[in-house]
Amino acid sequence: MELKELIRPLEVLEIVGDASVEITGIQSDSRKVEKGFLFVAVRGVSVDGHAYIEGAAGKGAAAIICEEIPSDENIHTSGNNPVFIRVKDSAEALGKVLSAWYENPSDNLILVGVTGTNGKTTIATLLYEMFRKMGHKVGLLSTVCNYIDGEAIPTDHTTPDPVTLHSLMARMVEADCEYAFMEVSSHSIDQKRISGLSFDGGIFTNLTRDHLDYHKTVENYLKAKKKFFDDLPASAFALTNADDKSGLVMLQNTAAKKLTYSLRTLADFKGKILESHFEGTEMLINGREVMTRFVGRFNAYNLLAVYGAAVSLGKDPEEVLVVLSDLHSVSGRFQTIQSPAGYTAIVDYAHTPDALVNVLNSIHEVLDGSGRVITVVGCGGNRDKGKRPIMAKEASRLSDQLILTSDNPRFEEPDEIIRDMVAGLNAADMEHTLCITDRTQAIKTATMLAKKGDVILVAGKGHEDYQEIKGVKHHFDDREKLREIFATQQQ
């Protein structure tokens, strides 16, 4: 494709060279540049792509999009003289040229994004499952796994990098997918990884403390989420949780059709929990009863969002309720495993204070005082340290026995992370708290303490099947550990 066609959607400030040059590929990683490629120099959080312009030119880049055209003579006299395109924001430009390169795939999909602190994975995945059950070909971009209809594609990030993202969208179109549902992280909004995508709908779940290591303040975190809704077109819908204090903020400046869901107040999609137990929840949604296989108030909100989005996309409300009743929980999200000894283990991804409180409150709602709660939890390394004492305090408050352990320590020492968590506990809390760094031993200890009718919550990792230690991912799966222990109880 000619460069001038690729840059047509951009606000170009300056062109140095012949824009009719033919482009054979696009990259923002200079290591992956090949002869004839367009290299886009993006200013990242820790790396500035402008520092790699010379390397990209040396590899044969035919053109370079950047915010500053370098004056380095080595680039212009190296035998390869790339065309330079100067723009105000190369991160935004990257998404737009990728969309043009792949013939605007999101224009050929009904694309819905889900953002918020908690619930993104569940809502996006359930919408994917629902629309497939309704006979559609569907794509999914999520924390757990990406899917092109039935084809699973492993994922490393909540929202992929722009090059991967647009190529996946193009593959969805090639596979005749009609719909695509994706998690939209605050990082991807702030870093403009979703630039060039055309959304038909947006869903907001909630906003609580998370990712402050990146955003620094809750206000910045909120602004990142809100920008997603501010950028939605008038043809899209914006569906928000009216019960969350930030819910209606998301709708303030959007041109999209404004819709709400709620368990507590009047809303377009109103729900009520009628009965809850570990096998599921009976709900009232817009006046109709439905039995679901999900547990907890937080899941009731997720189901309302799924229902509201499906109806907003034109699906018959009755059909939506029928399919909703047949959906199963997402891997590692309030996933129950029954012990032969008569207690229940629950594995959940909860890794923020609010998510942990939601899961523990849901457990208490079902137990209704008839059993003890034993919680195994840790905090990830090289992430927001401020939430560590809060996580420990909330877990202590809502648990009869607390075991603090290692999560993904990354490049930190696990014992130091646990000490940060212990800082949030007082002497009374410590009386029912154990610190066991080894996660396997922590889980084993919880099973030894549990009695018939109790519930063990193993929180923080959910679907993850690894522990990241010093830059290396070691196989570790909470669910596997529990099943191994339970297998010995049957012998």
Side-chain angles (χ1 to χ4, degrees):
M1 185 181 290
E2 285 191 354
L3 177 62
K4 63 184 178 183
E5 292 301 317
L6 282 174
I7 64 173
R8 198 179 294 279
L10 308 184
E11 292 182 24
V12 175
L13 301 178
E14 183 181 359
I15 299 176
V16 178
D18 182 4
S20 64
V21 66
E22 194 71 22
I23 299 298
T24 58
I26 302 173
Q27 266 298 340
S28 59
D29 184 340
S30 62
R31 296 168 297 184
K32 298 177 181 178
V33 169
E34 297 176 19
K35 185 175 177 59
F37 272 36
L38 166 64
F39 173 66
V40 185
V42 176
R43 298 189 194 278
V45 178
S46 55
V47 176
D48 185 352
H50 289 72
Y52 299 93
I53 288 176
E54 183 177 345
K59 285 193 166 190
I64 293 171
I65 290 178
C66 54
E67 294 171 20
E68 289 180 50
I69 298 175
S71 57
D72 193 335
E73 289 185 8
N74 292 332
I75 297 171
H76 301 282
T77 60
S78 62
N80 178 47
N81 197 20
V83 180
F84 281 91
I85 309 295
R86 186 166 68 88
V87 296
K88 182 180 180 182
D89 189 330
S90 52
E92 190 169 325
L94 175 60
K96 290 181 177 179
V97 294
L98 283 165
S99 184
W101 175 260
Y102 287 109
E103 299 181 338
N104 305 304
S106 62
D107 288 349
N108 297 304
L109 293 163
I110 296 172
L111 176 62
V112 177
V114 188
T115 195
T117 306
N118 306 311
K120 296 188 296 294
T121 301
T122 296
I123 292 169
T125 304
L126 293 184
L127 282 165
Y128 163 80
E129 296 287 357
M130 173 176 281
F131 277 72
R132 289 194 78 208
K133 284 179 180 289
M134 290 176 169
H136 299 284
K137 289 193 172 186
V138 189
L140 173 67
L141 294 157
S142 84
T143 304
V144 177
C145 191
N146 298 322
Y147 283 91
I148 299 173
D149 202 32
E151 180 189 355
I153 299 161
T155 180
D156 291 324
H157 298 90
T158 300
T159 310
D161 67 87
V163 176
T164 304
L165 180 57
H166 286 270
S167 66
L168 284 170
M169 290 280 178
R171 287 177 61 185
M172 289 176 189
V173 173
E174 286 173 13
D176 295 323
C177 290
E178 300 170 70
Y179 296 87
F181 301 101
M182 70 178 289
E183 295 184 49
V184 179
S185 68
S186 56
H187 293 72
S188 71
I189 300 166
D190 188 63
Q191 295 167 14
K192 301 178 182 174
R193 274 187 261 155
I194 57 172
S195 171
L197 295 183
S198 174
F199 286 91
D200 297 279
I203 302 168
F204 175 75
T205 62
N206 48 56
L207 191 135
T208 59
R209 183 189 179 111
D210 198 16
H211 302 306
L212 296 196
D213 54 310
Y214 176 86
H215 294 288
K216 307 305 179 188
T217 68
V218 174
E219 183 182 6
N220 288 342
Y221 183 39
L222 182 145
K223 284 179 179 177
K225 299 288 188 188
K226 184 175 178 294
K227 186 180 186 305
F228 173 64
F229 292 92
D230 290 350
D231 291 344
L232 287 177
S235 57
F237 69 83
L239 175 62
T240 193
N241 180 356
D243 293 344
D244 187 88
K245 62 183 179 182
S246 301
L248 297 180
V249 174
M250 298 297 147
L251 303 183
Q252 285 176 351
N253 304 109
T254 188
K257 182 181 180 182
K258 300 176 182 181
L259 297 165
T260 56
Y261 62 96
S262 168
L263 287 174
R264 298 202 304 255
T265 187
L266 288 174
D268 297 286
F269 306 103
K270 180 74 168 66
K272 181 181 180 182
I273 296 173
L274 300 176
E275 193 174 328
S276 187
H277 38 80
F278 286 126
E279 287 72 43
T281 302
E282 188 177 351
M283 290 182 67
L284 197 67
I285 298 180
N286 278 9
R288 302 303 300 269
E289 287 188 26
V290 59
M291 184 65 203
T292 73
R293 303 182 189 191
F294 296 81
V295 184
R297 182 169 293 272
F298 68 98
N299 267 325
Y301 279 108
N302 292 337
L303 293 171
L304 272 178
V306 170
Y307 174 85
V311 172
S312 300
L313 290 170
K315 292 301 178 184
D316 176 66
E318 290 296 323
E319 184 186 7
V320 173
L321 289 176
V322 169
V323 177
L324 203 65
S325 68
D326 194 39
L327 295 176
H328 296 266
S329 62
V330 176
S331 177
R333 266 63 174 182
F334 212 95
Q335 191 169 347
T336 59
I337 305 170
Q338 295 298 328
S339 161
Y343 58 84
T344 302
I346 294 170
V347 175
D348 194 89
Y349 188 55
H351 60 284
T352 66
D354 182 67
L356 192 60
V357 168
N358 284 340
V359 172
L360 285 166
N361 279 337
S362 297
I363 291 169
H364 282 291
E365 285 169 17
V366 177
L367 281 177
D368 197 23
S370 62
R372 298 181 309 146
V373 177
I374 302 167
T375 299
V376 179
V377 67
C379 284
N382 303 108
R383 296 293 187 269
D384 178 13
K385 292 186 178 183
K387 73 180 181 182
R388 292 173 185 174
I390 303 171
M391 289 273 287
K393 186 66 179 179
E394 294 291 19
S396 174
R397 180 175 67 86
L398 291 167
S399 305
D400 298 285
Q401 177 71 58
L402 174 61
I403 302 175
L404 300 179
T405 190
S406 179
D407 193 312
N408 288 322
R410 298 184 177 89
F411 291 96
E412 286 194 69
E413 291 301 321
D415 290 340
E416 291 181 11
I417 297 172
I418 291 173
R419 278 196 287 273
D420 287 344
M421 297 184 77
V422 167
L425 305 178
N426 58 31
D429 296 324
M430 290 304 298
E431 288 180 7
H432 64 268
T433 299
L434 296 172
C435 296
I436 304 174
T437 305
D438 186 288
R439 196 172 179 94
T440 297
Q441 292 304 316
I443 293 170
K444 282 183 178 178
T445 301
T447 63
M448 291 167 64
L449 294 171
K451 299 175 182 177
K452 186 176 181 179
D454 290 348
V455 173
I456 296 172
L457 170 64
V458 184
K461 293 183 64 59
H463 65 281
E464 292 179 350
D465 59 0
Y466 63 86
Q467 260 199 315
E468 189 176 339
I469 303 168
K470 304 295 183 185
V472 179
K473 289 184 177 181
H474 303 268
H475 181 76
F476 193 99
D477 190 317
D478 291 341
R479 297 158 298 181
E480 280 183 16
K481 295 295 180 186
L482 286 163
R483 290 186 180 112
E484 287 170 8
I485 295 166
F486 292 171
T488 65
Q489 294 175 351
Q490 291 175 317
Q491 294 173 1

